Each structure stands twice: as structure tokens, then as C-alpha cells.
Amino acid sequence: LIRARKGFRPIIRMERSGQEAVRKQAAVLVLNRKNLTLDGIDLIVDVRELSRTQTALFLCTGANLTLRNCSITILNQGAIAPITLIRAEPAGSRPTHVRLERCLVRGALSEGFRIAGGQSELVLRDSVVLAGGGPLFRFEGALAASESRVFLVQSLVAGPGPIFDWTTKIAGQPTKPLVIRAFGSVFGRLHGAGIASVIASSDAVQAAGKQVDWAGEDNLFAGWKGFFACGADQNVTVPDLAAARSTWNATDTKSR
């Protein structure tokens, strides 16, 4: 647990490490079956200061990561290298838990969270996350979302779209659906190159309800042309909230 002293607001700037072993890591902070809580700290990450192998801020493998009352600012992301906020990788039967509470994440992230398989649970509560360069949640691999659950509570997330991306799924392969729960949250689309649907999948064979277990209420969706798109051409199969309510058993009755 690393907590700010009462009345203070520490700023930590991530700089290039002088240790070669650290520079060869896949992320700035690697949590392998570890528990870490940061409370009341501002993190600044200049992508130019990272080595080419460090493509994520946090790498969680069977770990528990909690960010509370924190901010993360990503600087100078662009043609230099992609940067992911948090990447979760499998660790056998040990799950990964990530929680952001009262946090602000800003900057041109390539993506917010990348889930590469295994059991994982991600929670955003009272937080703002802006992923300017890619999806907020990317599920990597045919089975990457089968053991994953995502919860958004009174949070604001925005990006060029989609918010949830599972475009490496094998068409027609039966898997457990990705579980998403969203309550009192705002999903905004930023103008730019991207997929103008909240959820995108590469599987055009299975219906949306078989791929995603969605439930929510009191949400606001702004700037989207569709709710669920699939296939190589990203054809919209769930175009609006009326279709979403029909697909997922009258969900989001008070959403807009």
C-alpha cells in the first residue's frame, strides 16, 4: 500500500530506468501474483522515456491492483510506441483483479485495458478514462473474454470506438460470454478513426447475446452509430438501445 500523506498530493514521474533488466520488462510496473494499492498519487508517464519493450504501464499476472484517488497522465504517445494502461495475462487458476476508484486517466493511450486470457475482473467506479487512440477494453485471443467480467459504476469512458473490442475471436467458436455491467455511466465517442459501435467482435456467426452478457441502467451513450458490430466489416447488428433491450432482456430501460 502506497498512500499519500494527508494534505499532500505527490507527483511521480516515470523515467527511464538505469537497470537493463527493468528496461527489458514488458511494462513499467510488473505485478506477478502481487498486491498493490496506490492512493492519492498522480502518475505522469512520458512514453519517450520508456524502452521499446515497455508497452504498458502495469502488467498484472494473477495480481490485485487498486488505484484510488489517483490520476494518470500519458505524454507524447504517438508514432514512438503504443502504450496500454493495464495489461492482464493468465496465471493458471489465479485470477487478476483491477479496480479504479475516483481516478482520472488522460492522454493518448493506444488502449486502456488489454486482457490476454485467464480469469479477470475489472472495476471502474466514479472514474474518468479517456482512451484517445484505441478501444478502452481489448480482449486479445479467441478465449480472452470467456472468464472476464467488467463493471462500470458512475464512471465516464470515452474513445474513438469501440469501448469493448474482441476482434480476435474465432467466428462461431462457442465460449462463455463476456460479462459487462454498467450503471449510471457515460459512454462517449471521440471523433477520429475507429469503430462507431460500443462493442465490436470479429465473430459474425454467433449472435450478440451469445457473445456478450450485458446488463445496465441509467447510462448515457453519446456519439455512437451502433451498439454491437461484428465481422470483418464490422456490420452493426444491434443498432440502438431499443435493439439492445430486446437482445439483453429489457436492459437499460432508463438509459439514453
Side-chain angles (χ1 to χ4, degrees):
L1 168 62
I2 303 176
R3 175 181 292 157
R5 181 180 175 183
K6 186 176 181 180
F8 288 81
R9 188 75 187 184
I11 299 174
I12 298 178
R13 182 185 177 97
M14 300 297 184
E15 298 182 345
R16 182 181 295 271
S17 174
Q19 300 180 23
E20 184 177 358
V22 175
R23 292 197 301 270
K24 289 183 177 179
Q25 292 181 163
V28 179
L29 299 170
V30 177
L31 303 177
N32 186 0
R33 301 173 186 267
K34 302 291 185 180
N35 303 324
L36 174 64
T37 298
L38 301 180
D39 192 343
I41 297 173
D42 296 325
L43 301 175
I44 298 177
V45 183
D46 188 338
V47 179
R48 295 179 303 185
E49 293 286 337
L50 307 182
S51 68
R52 291 301 178 93
T53 60
Q54 293 175 324
T55 56
L57 178 55
F58 295 95
L59 173 59
C60 299
T61 305
N64 295 318
L65 172 63
T66 300
L67 304 177
R68 185 178 297 118
N69 303 312
C70 293
S71 77
I72 299 175
T73 303
I74 307 296
L75 302 177
N76 297 314
Q77 194 282 328
I80 302 173
I83 185 71
T84 301
L85 178 64
I86 299 171
R87 188 160 74 242
E89 295 187 349
S93 60
R94 185 182 177 94
T96 292
H97 299 275
V98 175
R99 181 182 180 92
L100 273 66
E101 185 174 338
R102 298 188 296 278
C103 290
L104 168 65
V105 180
R106 56 190 173 181
L109 286 162
S110 305
E111 56 197 6
F113 305 85
R114 173 174 288 205
I115 294 89
Q119 299 181 52
S120 62
E121 183 175 277
L122 294 89
V123 179
L124 268 65
R125 184 178 183 90
D126 301 315
S127 295
V128 176
V129 180
L130 308 177
L136 189 63
F137 298 91
R138 185 188 297 277
F139 301 91
E140 183 182 49
L143 302 175
S146 61
E147 298 289 342
S148 298
R149 297 188 296 173
V150 179
F151 299 86
L152 295 100
V153 182
Q154 295 180 338
S155 293
L156 186 153
V157 294
I163 297 297
F164 304 94
D165 178 90
W166 195 6
T167 52
T168 53
K169 187 179 187 302
I170 299 175
Q173 180 172 350
T175 59
K176 293 181 180 179
L178 165 65
V179 176
I180 305 174
R181 300 290 183 263
F183 303 99
S185 294
V186 177
F187 296 81
R189 181 172 186 258
L190 305 178
H191 289 290
I195 298 171
S197 290
V198 180
I199 307 171
S201 169
S202 57
D203 188 348
V205 178
Q206 286 191 310
K210 295 290 185 180
Q211 299 188 52
V212 176
D213 179 2
W214 172 282
E217 197 59 272
D218 289 319
N219 299 306
L220 174 63
F221 301 89
W224 303 99
K225 296 181 179 179
F227 196 90
F228 181 91
C230 62
D233 297 328
Q234 292 300 305
N235 295 318
V236 175
T237 58
V238 182
D240 50 29
L241 274 175
R245 293 170 185 134
S246 176
T247 302
W248 289 288
N249 298 322
T251 187
D252 288 277
T253 57
K254 297 181 181 178
S255 296
R256 298 175 291 142

